[in-house]
Amino acid sequence: MKTAELIAANDFCVYHNVEYTFITSLHEAGLVEVTIINETVFIPQTELQKLEKLVSLYELDINVAGIEAISHLLNRVEKLQEDMRYLKNRLSLYE
């Protein structure tokens, strides 16, 4: 992965005014992926959108366990919506 596609976790934390431990907690919970280069933690650009959503939940004073539960439920809703779209498309073939 190119370093141009990585954002330093410290820079992200300063920009969004969150503690560094928040990023490490999310990583330990398996909610975000990070890359470590020379003992510096970086966030891939592909994770930024997801991480910004999680920061907005954190700003509502929701702890990491709550964020983990909410994230799981949102992923399930997204999967159900995809399944519904697929089934609607299949159904339209028979109408």
Side-chain angles (χ1 to χ4, degrees), residues 14 35 41 43 51 59 78 85 90 94:
V14 168
T35 302
V41 177
I43 303 164
L51 187 54
E59 289 172 347
E78 220 173 89
R85 272 193 296 276
R90 293 276 311 220
Y94 298 105

Side-chain angles (χ1 to χ4, degrees), residues 53 57 69-79 81:
K53 287 179 185 178
L57 292 173
I70 291 169
S71 179
H72 174 71
L73 291 172
L74 288 174
N75 288 337
R76 294 228 17 221
V77 166
E78 220 173 89
K79 173 74 170 102
Q81 287 174 335

